[in-house]
């Protein structure tokens, strides 16, 4: 029964017991366990990206009123495999004059930064890599390492456009770290600890119910941190010639590609961990496997929201992005922190439901007030949908080719 | 487990390497990088002594922690202003080699 | 030789070697990359001292922000990609001699301290006491004044850096 309750941890303990039985001490067994666990997790994440690419391409296709890939395999499931095969077998062209260290280190840093985020998140009550006491700070620090990868890619490519693309990408990423960190402070305040395991344990009502304003800012900042649309100025195909990864081909480009999809998924599950209760759900405490299932269901819902966000919004310009960050998100995040701290300490001694409803009310007031203020500052007015007369095709104003046999 | 002396010697060595860099590099940004090395050596020293004193007193000492935090903050502020100065001087003098900025030479 | 001692030796040697390469590299960009490696080594040293919070803040502040600033500045202040001449001045043996003498003096002076060879053992549970650290930073009887002064310093640095590095619009004529 205990295998079915928690298969992964059961297997890990069985393997450790095996090593212990051979004669290795518990210290060595734990170390080897960690190494194998890290390898399995990283490999699992990379294989999982194949599924993520398929999911995203099908969804984007549906949003754009077309089928996604549907030729290879049932429902196009083998399409990402074909993509991976193509990327593996392409020639690795290294341009002349590149800085060898920077050029080759960049994709490694990009992907490893994302994989390291998988090490600290709790996937279920008992299955997590390591319980660092400053988990949230670790996530932000690792994001900084990822930015370093982009910078090295831009510099090492010996290409003016790659350099400018990298500089813009870095400017965007370090700017959006500010509301990211500030809004991540709200769950830290509410749960009293920076460790992700403790934050999930303390989420009796999910924090999205308690502090929706902070969740909103965190979501937008996460999307901007991953460099996905609509914040994908730095690497969009129609912009600066695909930006910082223009000189990469073959597997090195594949690493950037995979790293970006994995980063989107990682951002989803970080949001789920911090605001949507992680693995919490009915009966998740007794049966950890159920916690794992809830975690993945919630992550896929948030990933769906991310893809929806990508498929329905046009791209931001760089100055619009910076305006949004410094003039809207950062002051809003500061106000939310102060309001949550104030209300939390005012209601610290009263009943739980009273405190939570007060926090929810304050957050909703802040969101609506901010929306009013931002709307007042908008320079251009948009026409209402459906307000102007649009020409509708009717048989007398449609041009019909003579000789085509179609009658008007 | 690890003697305190190892940390202190490592910090002293890093400090001296940074000092060599400050005194002998030509590029202004290199000098700033060497200053960062010296500040990190000081930080290693402070954190080693925090551990030592917390071990003696049995409870975590706050004063060394605050000191380390102050060093972080001051290093960040100094790097920002220093790099802004270097960029500004580069725009005027078209060079970032300190030996070529000799306007004040008598 | 316990595991922790082996880790310390490896990390310390890597850090010091990277520090040497920072001051001895010919190309500026490689110098910056070696600096990042030595900062990472210092972060791991903080980790061995059970100061996990400071290790992560080191990565966040130094590698995630200061190194990126340094690389930005390197990119903005290159005339051509000229790295042909050595990066150290002609008479570099004198600073090297001074550094070695200083190291000898420091090590020798520290060795005369009684508890120089003290063993650093593991701290009891909750080694860093982050809650106490945070409380002390805002306690009027604690360290609130240095905290506030540091924030004013950061504000001054922010405003100053923007002002200094900003483009001046040249007056026409």
């Amino acid at each position: 029964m205990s295998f079915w309750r928690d298969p992964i941890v059961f297997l890990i303990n069985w393997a450790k017991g095996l090593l212990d039985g051979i004669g290795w001490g518990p210290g060595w067994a734990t170390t080897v366990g960690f190494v194998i666990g890290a390898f399995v997790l990283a490999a699992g994440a990379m294989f999982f990206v194949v599924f993520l690419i398929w999911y995203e391409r099908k969804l984007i296709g549906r949003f754009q009123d077309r089928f996604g890939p549907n030729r290879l395999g049932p429902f196009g499931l083998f399409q990402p495999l074909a993509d991976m095969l193509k990327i593996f077998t392409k020639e690795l062209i290294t341009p002349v004059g590149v800085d060898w260290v920077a050029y080759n280190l960049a994709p490694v840093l990009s992907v490893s930064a994302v994989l390291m985020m998988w090490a600290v998140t709790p996937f279920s009550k008992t299955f997590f890599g390591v319980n660092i006491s400053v988990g949230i700070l670790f996530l932000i620090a690792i994001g900084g390492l990822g930015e370093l990868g982009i910078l090295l890619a831009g510099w090492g490519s010996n290409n003016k456009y790659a350099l400018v693309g990298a500089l813009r990408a870095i400017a965007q990423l370090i700017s959006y770290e500010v509301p990211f960190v500030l809004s991540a402070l709200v769950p830290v305040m509410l749960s009293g600890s920076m460790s992700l395991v403790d934050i999930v344990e303390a989420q009796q009502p999910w924090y999205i119910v308690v502090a929706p304003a902070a969740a909103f800012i965190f979501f937008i900042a996460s999307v901007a941190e991953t460099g996905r649309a609509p914040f994908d100025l730095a690497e969009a195909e129609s912009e600066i010639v695909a930006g910082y990864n223009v000189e990469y081909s073959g597997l090195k480009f594949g690493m950037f590609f995979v790293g970006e999809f994995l980063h989107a998924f990682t951002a989803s599950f970080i949001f789920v961990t911090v605001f949507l209760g992680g693995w919490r759900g009915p009966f998740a405490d007794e049966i950890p496997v159920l916690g794992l299932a809830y975690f993945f269901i919630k992550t896929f819902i948030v990933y769906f929201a991310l893809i929806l966000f990508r498929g329905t919004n046009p791209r931001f310009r760089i100055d619009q992005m910076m305006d949004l960050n410094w003039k809207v998100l950062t002051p809003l995040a500061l106000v939310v922190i102060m309001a949550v701290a104030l209300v939390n300490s005012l209601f610290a001694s009263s009943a739980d439901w009273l405190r939570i409803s007060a926090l929810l009310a304050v957050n909703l007031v802040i969101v609506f007030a901010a929306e009013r203020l931002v709307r007042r500052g908008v320079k251009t007015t948009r026409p209402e949908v459906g307000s102007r007369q649009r020409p509708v095709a009717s048989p007398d104003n449609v041009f019909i080719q003579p000789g085509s046999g179609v009658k008007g | 487990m690890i003697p305190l002396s190892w940390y202190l010697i490592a910090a002293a060595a890093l400090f001296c390497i940074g000092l060599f860099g400050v005194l002998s590099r030509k590029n202004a940004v290199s000098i700033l990088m060497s200053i960062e090395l010296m500040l990190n050596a000081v930080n290693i020293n402070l954190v080693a002594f925090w551990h030592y004193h917390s071990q003696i007193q049995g409870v975590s000492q706050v004063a060394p922690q605050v000191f380390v935090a102050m060093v972080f903050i001051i290093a960040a502020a100094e790097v920002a202003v220093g790099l802004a100065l270097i960029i500004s001087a580069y725009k005027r003098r078209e060079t970032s080699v300190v030996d070529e900025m000799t306007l004040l030479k008598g | 030789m316990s595991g922790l001692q082996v880790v310390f030796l490896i990390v310390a040697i890597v850090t010091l070697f990277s520090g040497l390469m920072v001051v001895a590299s010919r190309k500026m960009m490689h110098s910056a990359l070696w600096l990042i490696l030595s900062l990472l080594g210092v972060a791991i040293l903080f980790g061995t001292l059970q100061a996990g919070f400071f290790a992560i803040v080191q990565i966040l502040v130094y590698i995630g922000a200061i190194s990126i600033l340094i690389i930005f500045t390197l990119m903005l202040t290159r005339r051509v990609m000229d790295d042909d001449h050595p990066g150290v001045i002609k008479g570099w043996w004198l600073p090297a001699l001074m550094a070695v003498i200083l190291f000898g003096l420091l090590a020798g002076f520290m060795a005369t301290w009684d508890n120089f060879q003290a063993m650093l053992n593991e701290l009891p549970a909750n080694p860093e006491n982050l809650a106490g650290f945070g409380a002390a930073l805002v306690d009027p009887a604690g360290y609130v004044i240095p905290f506030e002064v540091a924030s004013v310093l950061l504000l001054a640095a922010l405003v100053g850096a923007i002002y200094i590095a900003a483009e001046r619009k040249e007056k026409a004529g």
Side-chain angles (χ1 to χ4, degrees):
Chain A
M1 190 62 204
S2 94
F3 172 72
W4 292 113
R5 271 176 189 264
D6 198 2
I8 303 178
V9 177
F10 184 85
L11 282 171
I12 293 175
N13 286 333
W14 171 79
K16 275 199 216 165
L18 204 64
L19 284 175
D20 215 8
I22 294 183
W24 293 14
W28 275 112
T30 316
T31 311
V32 170
F34 270 132
V35 169
I36 295 184
F39 181 71
V40 167
L41 200 61
M46 300 299 272
F47 284 127
F48 193 56
V49 173
V50 169
F51 176 67
L52 288 177
I53 296 178
W54 171 82
Y55 185 70
E56 164 144 6
R57 287 180 68 172
K58 284 298 258 189
L59 272 180
I60 291 274
R62 288 290 175 170
F63 289 144
Q64 294 169 349
D65 202 18
R66 58 181 171 92
F67 299 111
N70 60 356
R71 287 198 175 268
L72 297 174
F75 295 108
L77 273 170
F78 296 152
Q79 176 75 37
L81 284 176
D83 279 339
M84 290 290 123
L85 269 177
K86 174 194 79 166
I87 284 187
F88 282 159
T89 54
K90 273 202 169 180
E91 179 190 354
L92 285 173
I93 306 175
T94 306
V96 167
V98 299
D99 193 355
W100 184 86
V101 172
Y103 185 76
N104 288 311
L105 197 57
V108 173
L109 268 181
S110 267
V111 176
S112 46
V114 177
L115 282 177
M116 281 200 263
M117 292 194 201
W118 284 58
V120 279
T121 45
F123 292 103
S124 82
K125 191 177 175 69
T126 49
F127 178 41
F128 47 84
V130 57
N131 182 12
I132 301 188
S133 65
V134 284
I136 287 215
L137 218 53
F138 181 80
L139 290 177
I140 301 164
I142 296 302
L145 274 185
E147 291 165 19
L148 204 60
I150 295 180
L151 200 57
L152 289 178
W155 169 266
S157 297
N158 196 19
N159 182 341
K160 277 196 286 286
Y161 299 106
L163 189 61
V164 173
L167 289 178
R168 276 159 124 191
I170 298 289
Q172 171 191 331
L173 290 178
I174 53 183
S175 306
Y176 274 91
E177 266 185 22
V178 176
F180 188 79
V181 173
L182 287 176
S183 59
L185 270 183
V186 172
V188 169
M189 266 199 296
L190 292 172
S191 68
S193 155
M194 279 195 269
S195 151
L196 285 170
V197 173
D198 291 343
I199 289 181
V200 174
E201 298 267 345
Q203 288 197 37
Q204 284 307 122
W206 296 350
Y207 284 155
I208 194 171
V209 168
V210 178
F216 176 67
I217 301 172
F218 189 80
F219 185 72
I220 297 182
S222 306
V223 173
E225 277 287 312
T226 55
R228 277 176 75 82
F231 295 99
D232 62 350
L233 181 82
E235 47 129 53
E237 296 90 37
S238 58
E239 294 286 337
I240 195 158
V241 202
Y244 57 89
N245 50 16
V246 65
E247 293 283 0
Y248 286 89
S249 58
L251 196 55
K252 293 180 196 161
F253 175 73
M255 284 293 111
F256 277 118
F257 188 61
V258 156
E260 191 190 315
F261 274 99
L262 198 58
H263 200 175
F265 187 71
T266 308
S268 313
F269 75 52
I270 291 174
F271 183 75
V272 163
T273 306
V274 168
F275 280 102
L276 279 180
W279 46 260
R280 293 197 85 89
F283 301 119
D285 283 328
E286 300 97 40
I287 310 181
V289 168
L290 218 50
L292 191 65
Y294 290 144
F295 182 81
F296 273 106
I297 293 174
K298 289 184 211 172
T299 309
F300 270 105
I301 293 177
V302 176
Y303 192 48
F304 179 87
L306 260 176
I307 299 177
L308 184 62
F309 201 20
R310 169 185 177 177
T312 51
N313 282 314
R315 196 170 290 142
F316 275 117
R317 252 186 2 242
I318 186 91
D319 58 321
Q320 289 171 337
M321 258 200 294
M322 292 302 156
D323 273 356
L324 179 69
N325 180 32
W326 295 113
K327 294 188 192 166
V328 175
L329 287 181
T330 305
L332 194 61
L334 288 169
V335 167
V336 165
I337 289 181
M338 286 195 290
V340 166
L342 197 63
V343 172
N344 210 15
S345 61
L346 277 179
F347 285 83
S349 45
S350 34
D352 251 351
W353 63 268
L354 193 60
R355 183 174 60 95
I356 290 168
S357 5
L359 279 167
L360 177 64
V362 164
N363 270 287
L364 289 173
V365 163
I366 291 177
V367 168
F368 282 122
E371 199 247 346
R372 288 279 114 204
L373 274 173
V374 169
R375 241 179 236 284
R376 201 135 27 103
V378 164
K379 297 189 191 90
T380 59
T381 53
R382 295 161 193 274
E384 283 293 320
V385 175
S387 60
R388 62 185 169 102
Q389 290 293 84
R390 291 159 45 197
V392 175
S394 62
D396 40 345
N397 62 8
V398 164
F399 175 66
I400 300 177
Q401 286 272 9
S404 65
V406 179
K407 290 193 245 310
Chain B
M1 312 238 278
I2 303 182
L4 181 61
S5 55
W6 288 16
Y7 283 104
L8 299 182
I9 293 189
L14 198 61
F15 186 82
C16 294
I17 293 175
L19 184 67
F20 168 65
V22 168
L23 293 174
S24 70
R25 293 283 290 183
K26 281 197 218 162
N27 200 328
V29 183
S30 284
I31 298 180
L32 257 175
M33 289 199 273
S34 311
I35 295 181
E36 288 310 305
L37 282 180
M38 289 161 78
L39 282 167
N40 272 290
V42 166
N43 257 341
I44 298 179
N45 226 338
L46 282 169
V47 175
F49 273 111
W50 163 77
H51 190 151
Y52 171 69
H53 281 286
S54 301
Q55 185 183 299
I56 291 185
Q57 310 280 5
V59 73
S60 170
Q61 297 291 298
V62 171
Q65 283 181 318
V66 173
F67 213 146
V68 172
M70 292 298 134
V71 173
F72 273 126
I73 295 175
I74 292 175
E78 158 240 335
V79 161
V81 175
L83 289 174
L85 280 171
I86 292 176
I87 292 181
S88 175
Y90 176 80
K91 282 193 200 152
R92 304 279 179 131
R93 312 294 300 159
E94 274 302 310
T95 177
S96 56
V97 174
V98 291
D99 285 338
E100 297 176 15
M101 301 185 196
T102 52
L103 267 183
L104 279 177
K105 206 164 186 179
Chain C
M1 240 349 158
S2 75
L4 202 59
Q5 291 187 338
V6 170
V7 167
F8 173 84
L9 278 176
I10 296 177
V11 172
I13 291 178
V14 166
T15 308
L16 290 172
F17 177 68
S18 314
L20 265 173
M21 293 308 290
V22 169
V23 303
S25 260
R26 196 167 269 236
K27 295 194 183 189
M28 291 299 303
M29 201 61 187
H30 289 181
S31 208
L33 292 178
W34 284 117
L35 180 71
I36 292 176
L37 186 61
S38 67
L39 293 174
L40 195 61
V42 170
I44 300 180
L45 284 179
F46 287 171
T48 60
L49 279 168
Q50 290 186 277
F53 176 69
F54 289 124
I56 304 224
V57 170
Q58 164 94 0
I59 297 182
L60 183 67
V61 167
Y62 272 101
I63 301 180
I66 290 182
S67 308
I68 292 187
L69 263 183
I70 289 180
I71 295 180
F72 253 89
T73 309
L74 281 175
M75 288 184 195
L76 289 174
T77 61
R78 310 300 283 139
R79 232 175 323 189
V80 196
M81 307 279 221
D82 55 351
D83 280 319
D84 313 323
H85 22 270
V88 291
I89 58 180
K90 276 252 191 67
W92 61 270
W93 57 271
L94 189 55
L97 190 63
M98 281 170 56
V100 169
I101 292 179
L102 182 65
F103 175 67
L105 283 175
L106 275 175
F109 188 62
M110 283 194 294
T112 63
W113 180 49
D114 291 337
N115 294 325
F116 187 56
Q117 298 284 346
M119 255 319 166
L120 292 176
N121 302 316
E122 258 198 60
L123 290 175
N126 194 13
E128 294 175 282
N129 194 11
L130 284 177
F133 176 41
L137 276 179
V138 292
D139 188 4
Y143 298 97
V144 69
I145 294 187
F147 186 56
E148 298 298 330
V149 169
S151 53
V152 173
L153 175 73
L154 279 174
L155 181 66
L158 183 71
V159 173
I162 294 176
Y163 182 72
I164 292 176
E167 304 256 331
R168 301 294 165 71
K169 303 273 192 295
E170 298 291 324
K171 291 205 187 56

